[in-house]
Amino acid sequence: MNDNGILGGLHPFLKLLLLVMLMLTGVLTVTLLGVLAAMPFLGTGILTQLGHGSDNLNLLRYFQLLSHIGLFLVPSLVFAALVSRKPLRLLGANHPPQRLPMVFAALIMLAGVPFVYFLMEVNQQLALPESMAGLEEWMRRTEDAAETLMGRFLLVEGLHLLLFNIVMIAVLPGIGEEFIFRGLVQPLFKKWTGNVHVAVIITAILFSAMHFQFYGFLPRFMLGVMLGYMFVLTNNIWVPVFAHFFNNAGAVTLYYIAANSEAVNAEGLAAAGFSPLMITMSLVLVIIMFVVMMRHSRLPAAHDMHRDTGA
């Protein structure tokens, strides 16, 4: 039986365009609805604050939540419903994951920390040609502003704000971004190119570029590759969702502990490096665990994503 939805027969390129349109429409619509919903409590002053840049952290947190919902979560569900009669199956979310792949996912994220950190250090050293000095200055300025805002989000006291940060930075991005990139974009590129490895790499590039942080591109690209192969090996979106959540929630929790403990220095943690041996072992361990994960998977190998998804 054909499971295609009303737009399931479109070419993968047209489906990608449709997804982009849904993402733009989604973020604008959800943000507008969020503004209207907040007006009874904040009045029309919310528009003034948005227009001039707000220093209200609670308001900024609110719109951060709206942006994740509107840009990733809602469009992924709408797209899946439009192209397939079985949207959850399309996303690879129609059955719970096995326990062993989830364990492997967490171990891979932990083992990859030294290598990902090394890529971050390498990325920080990259510089554009002198002819693009203005662009480089703008990129550094915008990234510094983004880091400052994220630091303000993370610097909280009280478990209730820690839990809110976990929802805002780990739960929603873990679900929404994985639904979009691994659940939809990666299979579309697999069908378009006929090569699962090309699909993983292109999707990882787009995943990293979507964050608009040039000096964090390489580590995010590596994370995207790892998440992509987790999906290939398990054919279950909840495995990369959990890995994404585990990575982000771990970082949020460690920052909270460091910022609220006199025994732990947050700046010292950030400045801690890894030896070349640890970096090499990190990469080797990640590869070994992926090989073991592949052998324990019910799928034959990292060969394709042959679910009849309409994507």
Side-chain angles (χ1 to χ4, degrees):
M1 180 180 175
N2 190 338
D3 290 334
N4 282 349
I6 57 175
L7 298 179
L10 293 177
H11 185 276
F13 176 70
L14 294 178
K15 287 182 180 177
L16 285 169
L17 287 181
L18 171 64
L19 183 57
V20 171
M21 291 174 58
L22 288 173
M23 292 172 73
L24 294 175
T25 304
V27 72
L28 290 174
T29 303
V30 172
T31 300
L32 176 60
L33 292 174
V35 170
L36 294 176
M39 277 187 178
F41 306 97
L42 301 176
T44 56
I46 187 175
L47 300 176
T48 305
Q49 292 187 61
L50 289 175
H52 295 84
S54 176
D55 197 46
N56 185 329
L57 265 185
N58 289 330
L59 186 62
L60 292 173
R61 290 188 180 105
Y62 176 60
F63 281 99
Q64 185 79 0
L65 289 176
L66 292 178
S67 68
H68 279 306
I69 295 171
L71 188 60
F72 298 112
L73 188 57
V74 171
S76 64
L77 297 175
V78 173
F79 179 91
L82 288 174
V83 302
S84 176
R85 295 177 183 177
K86 298 180 179 179
L88 290 181
R89 186 179 178 216
L90 172 72
L91 291 164
N94 58 321
H95 54 89
Q98 296 177 331
R99 189 175 302 172
L100 191 58
M102 301 284 272
V103 173
F104 276 121
L107 292 175
I108 287 170
M109 300 309 286
L110 286 173
V113 168
F115 186 70
V116 170
Y117 187 86
F118 164 72
L119 290 178
M120 182 173 66
E121 290 185 318
V122 171
N123 207 155
Q124 292 290 331
Q125 303 305 316
L126 296 179
L128 297 178
E130 288 189 17
S131 60
M132 304 177 72
L135 176 61
E136 182 174 0
E137 181 182 352
W138 173 80
M139 289 192 303
R140 288 195 179 276
R141 188 168 60 249
T142 54
E143 287 208 28
D144 288 344
E147 288 183 8
T148 299
L149 179 59
M150 184 55 66
R152 294 179 64 197
F153 282 155
L154 292 174
L155 193 59
V156 297
E157 296 181 1
L159 288 177
H160 64 294
L161 288 177
L162 170 62
L163 293 175
F164 183 89
N165 276 345
I166 288 175
V167 171
M168 180 178 69
I169 300 171
V171 175
L172 286 178
I175 297 173
E177 291 180 16
E178 292 311 303
F179 275 17
I180 287 285
F181 289 102
R182 256 58 65 177
L184 298 176
V185 173
Q186 187 168 298
L188 283 170
F189 275 109
K190 163 60 178 65
K191 187 170 184 177
W192 191 0
T193 65
N195 189 307
V196 68
H197 306 293
V198 171
V200 169
I201 291 171
I202 293 176
T203 304
I205 290 172
L206 294 175
F207 168 72
S208 187
M210 187 72 182
H211 289 82
F212 296 103
Q213 290 182 298
F214 173 79
Y215 296 101
F217 181 86
L218 289 179
R220 281 197 180 88
F221 167 75
M222 182 62 185
L223 288 173
V225 169
M226 292 192 294
L227 293 167
Y229 278 114
M230 288 178 193
F231 186 47
V232 171
L233 293 175
T234 63
N235 203 27
N236 190 306
I237 196 63
W238 298 116
V239 175
V241 164
F242 172 73
H244 197 147
F245 164 81
F246 182 83
N247 179 75
N248 289 16
V252 169
T253 304
L254 284 175
Y255 194 99
Y256 174 83
I257 294 172
N260 292 277
S261 173
E262 296 181 358
V264 182
N265 185 288
E267 294 183 0
L269 284 177
F274 298 96
S275 68
L277 177 61
M278 291 180 67
I279 294 168
T280 303
M281 288 301 298
S282 170
L283 180 59
V284 170
L285 282 173
V286 167
I287 294 173
I288 290 173
M289 279 189 279
F290 266 116
V291 171
V292 176
M293 189 178 188
M294 180 178 67
R295 291 181 176 178
H296 281 80
S297 173
R298 289 185 177 179
L299 298 178
H303 57 299
D304 61 27
M305 290 172 278
H306 268 324
R307 48 194 170 84
D308 181 18
T309 62

